[in-house]
Amino acid sequence: MTEQEISTKEKQPVQGQEKTRAGRFFLPEVDIEELSDSLKLWADMPGVKQSDVEVTLDGGILTIVGTVSTGAYQKLAPLYTEYNVGNYFRQFELNEDIDDQRIKASMRDGVLELTLPKSERARPRRIEVNAR
Amino acid sequence: MALLRYSPDSDPVTNLLTLQSDLERFLRNPAYQLGVSGFGGFPPVNIFDTGDGVAVIAEIPGIEPKSISVSGQGHTLTIKGERRRETSTEASGYHRRERSFGEFSRSLQLPEQLDLDKAAATYDAGMLTVKVPKAEAAKPRQIAVQPA
């Protein structure tokens, strides 16, 4: 076997409470980075178009839902399959105080990019130490 | 794989199915992967019959369409590229790092009756679709019946 940097992980179905919305849901793979003034999140949701992604922040719970349209598959007969096609769903409880008015989200090539700016209160600040 | 004592009471069909699933699990085990094109290679592919050919659909999110190379040689279709991490300038820490990045190359052997010269590829929303039509010679044709 030759060396290969990327391998494919099997998609994990969403466990837990049942959704009212029908269809299979999988967990998108995410990266979350912490910056001094914000959090950055990327989620891989191949097959999800910009119009089919929904991001909500409610009571400190960040919810990401991506819907995949399966219409294009209707006329196709599968010969060989390695991955499942389904919607994406993931929730995070945010510990940080996020300024929900300034959240930015963009979708490109099946990757959701979220910028979650910390609210003024949550930002680290330097406290001047004065001489007495 | 555990060795099980043969018991003549058990159903032979169930035995066969168990053997089959054991073999499949064995083949899908990354430690015994049969080259880069086996199950578990990147990108994962689904192959469909479109009626007039096949469609190979691969999940490759977050990549510049320019940096994907799709090539055909003989009956082998090769998908190559590199997935780069978004540049972050001053991250002070990571909370999750689940996505994978790096170079990939995957070759698939297609049936002989397909015409790779006429293949067309599109990339949309992180999905690469390569449509390969059937070769002219493999298409069904009507043979006229002449009166003798």
Side-chain angles (χ1 to χ4, degrees), chain B residues 11-86:
Chain B
D11 175 16
V13 176
T14 317
N15 277 343
L16 269 177
L17 288 176
T18 315
L19 176 66
Q20 170 102 42
S21 71
D22 276 350
L23 279 172
E24 266 171 28
R25 204 168 46 211
F26 174 78
L27 288 174
R28 285 184 171 197
N29 186 330
Y32 299 100
Q33 213 182 54
L34 307 172
V36 288
S37 284
F39 183 87
F42 187 91
V45 294
N46 281 351
I47 304 179
F48 297 92
D49 185 352
T50 57
D52 54 0
V54 299
V56 177
I57 306 181
E59 284 191 329
I60 321 176
I63 187 165
E64 287 286 319
K66 295 197 290 279
S67 65
I68 311 176
S69 129
V70 181
S71 57
Q73 191 188 24
H75 302 294
T76 308
L77 174 75
T78 301
I79 301 168
K80 259 192 201 173
E82 185 178 359
R83 210 183 155 206
R84 291 209 180 89
R85 191 178 287 281
E86 294 81 359

Side-chain angles (χ1 to χ4, degrees), chain A residues 7-73:
Chain A
S7 65
T8 301
K9 286 169 250 169
E10 215 165 315
K11 282 188 191 172
Q12 297 302 310
V14 172
Q15 309 279 341
Q17 73 270 66
E18 203 174 341
K19 306 272 169 325
T20 46
R21 228 179 287 191
R24 279 186 293 187
F25 283 86
F26 296 100
L27 291 172
E29 284 173 9
V30 302
D31 284 353
I32 304 177
E33 284 185 4
E34 170 125 25
L35 285 79
S36 59
D37 61 346
S38 61
L39 289 175
K40 275 250 188 199
L41 183 150
W42 292 271
D44 281 351
M45 299 195 281
V48 177
K49 291 179 174 35
Q50 190 202 326
S51 51
D52 300 332
V53 64
E54 206 179 285
V55 181
T56 51
L57 177 62
D58 184 16
I61 308 279
L62 178 76
T63 308
I64 299 168
V65 181
T67 318
V68 173
S69 62
T70 49
Y73 293 99

